[in-house]
Amino acid sequence: MCISTIGSRVDFDRRRSGTRPDHISRRVTSERGARPGSTPLPCASSALVGSAARATRALQMALYVSPGFSRAADAHLRLALMFKARRHWAAAALHFRRARLAPHQDATFTRLELSFHAAHLLEARGLRKSARDAYERLLKEPQLSSALKADVCRQLGWLYHRCVSLGEAPARARAAVWCLQRAVAAEPDSGAGLYLLGRCFAAQGKVHDAFIAYRNSVEKSEGNADTWCSIGVLYQQQNQPMDALQAYICAVQLDKGHSAAWTNLGSLYESCQMARDAFACYSNGGSAAVAAHAPLRQRLAFLRAHLAHAPMPSVTGKRRQLPSIEEAWNLPISAEMSSRAPKSAPPPYPGKRSEEPPPLNHQQLQTLQYLQRNSHNLSPQQQALMQQLLSQYRLAQAARARAVTKSEGSNASGGESAESLAEDLLKRFSDSQPDIKKEPTKNTSSGSSSSEAVLGGRQPVVKLEPLKTDPLKPVAFNIGMSSKNILDACKENAGPPTAWSVLGDGCGAPEPPAVPSPRLSAEQLAPPAPFVYVESKRDAFSPQLQDFCLKHPIAVVRGLTSALKLDLGLFSTKTLVEAWPDHAVEVRTQLMQSADENWDPTGRRRVWACASHRSHTTVRKYAQYQAGSFQESLREERERGAAPHHSAGGTLSDSDGRESGGPVKRRKGARMLRFGTNVDLSDERKWRPQLTELQKLPAFARVASAANMLSHVGHVILGMNTVQLYMKVPGSRTPGHQENNNFCSININIGPGDCEWFGVPDAYWGGVRELCDRHGLSYLHGSWWPDPEELRAHGVPVYRFTQRPGDLVWVNAGCVHWVQATGWCNNIAWNVGPLTARQYSLALERYEWNKVQNFKSIVPMVHLTWNLARNIRVSDPRLHRAMRTCLMQTLRAAAGTLNAVRARGVPIRFHGRARGEASHYCGACEREVWHALLVREHERRHVVHCLACARRVSPTLAGFLCLEEHHTEELAQVYDAFTLHRAATPLAAAQAPTTVPTPD
């Protein structure tokens, strides 16, 4: 029954440490709350996810209402930390970038601390070398504080210790020890660096040095479960089971959920022939640890079967080598162990701690805040005082954080601390703010006003700072006003920027819709996909075909390409290679699996997260891979002794996309595939035959058409008003998404294989987003593959159908969809915008919701609306009202921006718009900037800012230049001319512009 305990124990300990870089339990990481974890955790509990979602929404709404308020940098940092803890890498990187661009006068963190967290984001994403370079650049900063230097050295040292990609083992070991020794020297009162140093020494076989480091770590950190667990490993390796037992007991008494210590303790008991105690310890390790380790599950099953037939232990039996777990729990600690334990209260009885440092009083907090604001003009004595107060402040807050963490720690396993950086820093934000009972009055002196935010302290109300205007009676703007009335009213009071929403004054930010009621039946939750068969060219150009597509969330048009005699061979791999073999192809490397399932990288559990790795190649090279994949499949079929079964479209899979074989068998033989995506066919000089062929399509489905909103943008938006091609092998996946700004899309399967599609009506996208949140995934920034059964259980209907070669799939506005190839095929796709009120409203709502989510809208809806107003006449009252509201609000915003610019003496120059010039976006917040461009030179290039971000950079707008894109008189004429057209045929008038699109 005895197993090789040392090897399994050490491996388990190493695996556990490899999941996070600081591997210190929350009691120790809360000592500062500024040390990264390495790799994020699995999905947290639903309560934690709900709290994080509410906090995220509150901060997003604060930034949406007033992007330029004084604490925007802190808001972006907190959002970045929360997104990083939830593994939303793209969103976290976005907010780190915006926090760096925001002014830091009132921020609770320095730019160097921000750089440290951004470097850790690189490490958490698996970009180890980039993270190492970022840490090393930080260490060269002359203004790096000793505390931050210790954090950086600890992180860099452990990165060298555990990442084999950073060099040869001996060199990495030396670098790790050197970095950790620097961390200890920079912060001698912290036990974290000593613990990691002990781990490095233990890995190198330097047992004596490891013991010394662990002992010093225990003395500094007042007892840490990880340290005692590692001490137990060393004792067990030295064949000192009683000392190992006491060290493990210390660990689990400090952290009752420490799975590694329980597992090591179980292996110790098993090596001493004490099966019942071993079984109890393995079980105490927690269900998560058991589920994650197959060998541990096997040992538990073996011990359970053995104990079921074993006799009860006899009191008169042979003497045991170790006391039972119940006896060991209450044993007094040995003298040798006591010498290594905290002097005030040695484990396993950590009842009292040394006297906690007193918190700063109000006067000391005022002094500290004043010194921080004037840190660049302090004398040496004042700098020393500031460091002393700051140290006392941090120690007091660390004590508070430890107390909070200890009360919560029993509910979380030891491995749950991978998010410790983000969680602890967010805890510091919430715990470290002094309570302020009342808001300071406006008449306080300059000296006392500094107490409003002590150390970036919490104010009772977040003060949003909209653009200051004259305190006149606000004007009630409405779409019935003429341009002259609007501009005259704006001269007096254009209102705050919060009232300039394109949805209308007083309209809040759009909200994801709840799942509609009543709940659908089982049949309604799995509706058949709408199919329409086109038999002739007359059918293809009939209005009924467009009406059919616009009435359904998603539809399949079969026979259209044949009826119009489209030469789909122009888009085949062979033709592409012959035409432009070196054309760029973006490649996504994915795991091959059934369309019904999505497994995590280990293959142990089903998840929604859909991972892929991006690279680039050429059309020729991907064609070779695509053909080789097909030949390999044929060879495998021959080796199995069966002829390959071809479907009607030439695929090697079933027509419904389901692969043969159960999930276990498939996962064991899972392979990686390469999906060729985003092949740009926008260049008319290269792809003229292909683009000309697509002109045969009916007007509502063409890439460029007067009836297509996106044709009025006036410049290229790759993949939207241009064609993109996709080169696929079986299993290639396009994860779940809605189209950019909720525009419709066209997708034609070139063949020869099939594709399997899934779709959710736009009314239910809020339910999909809710499930993404439950799975810890970002709806907009993340990559996810939904489980249809989970969606239906949530009351969300799911369409499922097969797209055969030649089929055109119409994706209506807002439809959520995801696609997987079931054969070897190519697809072409682009977006269209029908001139309907529904399409325009959904696009505008998503434009505003993207602002809340800090997601860039690649369709410039304001610029598009003004171009539409120039080019078309509208007879649909709903579409006219929505467009007229947007025109009024943006004219008002333009006037208000120019008023603010003139009031600050900023020079204004007319810039105009060149033919085909792309729309402009703010370099800080990535929102569309229209008409009034605030430009400032940054790193030898001119960067456009919106008004809010420009005022954050400089309240007086010093260093900015304002460029006007249009003459105000021209905008006034366009606005006044855009009236409701009373046509005899309303449908035709609403869908047909009277002029061709203008260049801008």
Side-chain angles (χ1 to χ4, degrees), residues 480-513:
M481 299 172 67
S482 67
S483 61
K484 184 178 184 304
N485 293 338
I486 294 172
L487 294 173
D488 289 344
C490 289
K491 290 178 182 178
E492 298 179 348
N493 184 8
T498 53
W500 298 345
S501 167
V502 295
L503 299 178
D505 192 356
C507 293
E511 293 278 352

Side-chain angles (χ1 to χ4, degrees), residues 771-995:
L771 290 177
C772 283
D773 287 343
R774 289 187 187 178
H775 285 269
L777 295 167
S778 170
Y779 182 79
L780 289 178
H781 295 92
S783 178
W784 35 272
W785 187 265
D787 179 357
E789 293 306 317
E790 187 175 352
L791 286 171
R792 292 178 179 125
H794 194 59
V796 176
V798 180
Y799 291 101
R800 183 173 184 174
F801 59 89
T802 297
Q803 180 193 28
R804 296 176 182 169
D807 285 356
L808 182 149
V809 174
W810 167 273
V811 181
N812 212 340
C815 177
V816 186
H817 57 285
W818 55 104
V819 188
Q820 175 161 321
T822 57
W824 290 263
C825 61
N826 291 352
N827 290 68
I828 52 175
W830 59 92
N831 291 97
V832 294
L835 286 164
T836 64
R838 180 177 181 273
Q839 171 66 88
Y840 181 80
S841 298
L842 287 177
L844 213 58
E845 288 175 5
R846 180 51 55 91
Y847 179 81
E848 285 297 296
W849 193 65
N850 285 348
K851 293 180 182 178
V852 179
Q853 300 297 314
N854 293 283
F855 189 82
K856 183 178 180 179
S857 292
I858 67 172
V859 180
M861 290 301 300
V862 175
H863 172 71
L864 173 60
T865 301
W866 281 90
N867 277 357
L868 288 172
R870 290 184 183 96
N871 299 340
I872 68 172
R873 289 184 298 176
V874 174
S875 59
D876 182 349
R878 291 192 305 141
L879 177 59
H880 175 267
R881 182 167 55 252
M883 289 181 59
R884 180 88 173 180
T885 299
C886 179
L887 295 172
M888 178 194 69
Q889 290 292 89
T890 51
L891 184 62
R892 178 182 172 189
T897 301
L898 292 176
N899 290 345
V901 167
R902 292 190 183 99
R904 288 160 176 79
V906 176
I908 301 176
R909 298 178 186 173
F910 182 76
H911 178 257
R913 285 188 61 87
R915 181 180 180 87
E917 179 181 350
S919 298
H920 298 280
Y921 290 82
C922 176
C925 68
E926 294 187 316
R927 295 187 183 184
E928 181 188 0
V929 183
W930 176 80
H931 181 61
L933 312 178
L934 288 161
V935 181
R936 183 171 184 257
E937 186 174 356
H938 178 70
E939 296 180 354
R940 297 185 178 181
R941 63 188 185 95
H942 290 88
V943 180
V944 174
H945 290 71
C946 64
L947 178 61
C949 292
R951 293 180 66 220
R952 277 163 47 191
V953 173
S954 173
T956 62
L957 300 182
F960 280 92
L961 173 67
C962 182
L963 302 178
E964 275 193 288
E965 290 189 298
H966 316 88
H967 293 292
T968 305
E969 296 78 11
E970 176 202 349
L971 296 178
Q973 292 174 3
V974 173
Y975 180 81
D976 290 334
F978 186 70
T979 58
L980 185 63
H981 181 60
R982 306 293 182 181
T985 55
L987 182 61
Q991 295 175 350
T994 59
T995 63

Side-chain angles (χ1 to χ4, degrees), residues 382-581:
Q382 290 173 322
Q383 290 179 352
L385 176 60
M386 183 179 71
Q387 291 299 325
Q388 178 184 352
L389 291 173
L390 188 58
S391 176
Q392 182 179 348
Y393 177 83
R394 284 176 169 174
L395 289 173
Q397 297 309 316
R400 290 181 60 188
R402 281 198 299 269
V404 173
T405 307
K406 181 178 179 181
S407 65
E408 298 174 350
S410 59
N411 297 326
S413 65
E416 269 189 0
S417 301
E419 300 160 348
S420 59
L421 169 67
E423 291 182 349
D424 292 335
L425 189 53
L426 290 170
K427 184 182 289 297
R428 187 186 76 172
F429 280 144
S430 61
D431 289 348
S432 65
Q433 315 301 342
D435 294 329
I436 298 178
K437 300 299 184 182
K438 62 178 72 175
E439 186 172 346
T441 62
K442 297 181 180 179
N443 297 325
T444 54
S445 64
S446 59
S448 62
S449 64
S450 64
S451 64
E452 289 186 14
V454 180
L455 197 64
R458 176 174 52 201
Q459 299 177 10
V461 178
V462 176
K463 295 183 178 179
L464 304 182
E465 299 177 358
L467 182 68
K468 292 181 174 62
T469 57
D470 295 333
L472 302 176
K473 183 178 179 180
V475 179
F477 291 88
N478 61 79
I479 61 175
M481 299 172 67
S482 67
S483 61
K484 184 178 184 304
N485 293 338
I486 294 172
L487 294 173
D488 289 344
C490 289
K491 290 178 182 178
E492 298 179 348
N493 184 8
T498 53
W500 298 345
S501 167
V502 295
L503 299 178
D505 192 356
C507 293
E511 293 278 352
V515 175
S517 58
R519 185 180 177 87
L520 302 179
S521 65
E523 293 76 14
Q524 293 171 324
L525 289 172
F531 275 84
V532 60
Y533 295 87
V534 175
E535 298 179 351
S536 65
K537 188 174 182 179
R538 180 178 179 180
D539 292 343
F541 285 90
S542 66
Q544 289 78 15
L545 179 60
Q546 180 179 1
D547 293 342
F548 178 86
C549 292
L550 291 175
K551 288 178 182 177
H552 295 93
I554 195 167
V556 182
V557 182
R558 185 160 290 170
L560 178 68
T561 56
S562 300
L564 297 177
K565 296 182 171 57
L566 259 67
D567 183 5
L568 299 183
L570 290 171
F571 302 93
S572 67
T573 301
K574 180 177 181 293
T575 303
L576 297 174
V577 172
E578 292 173 350
W580 296 98

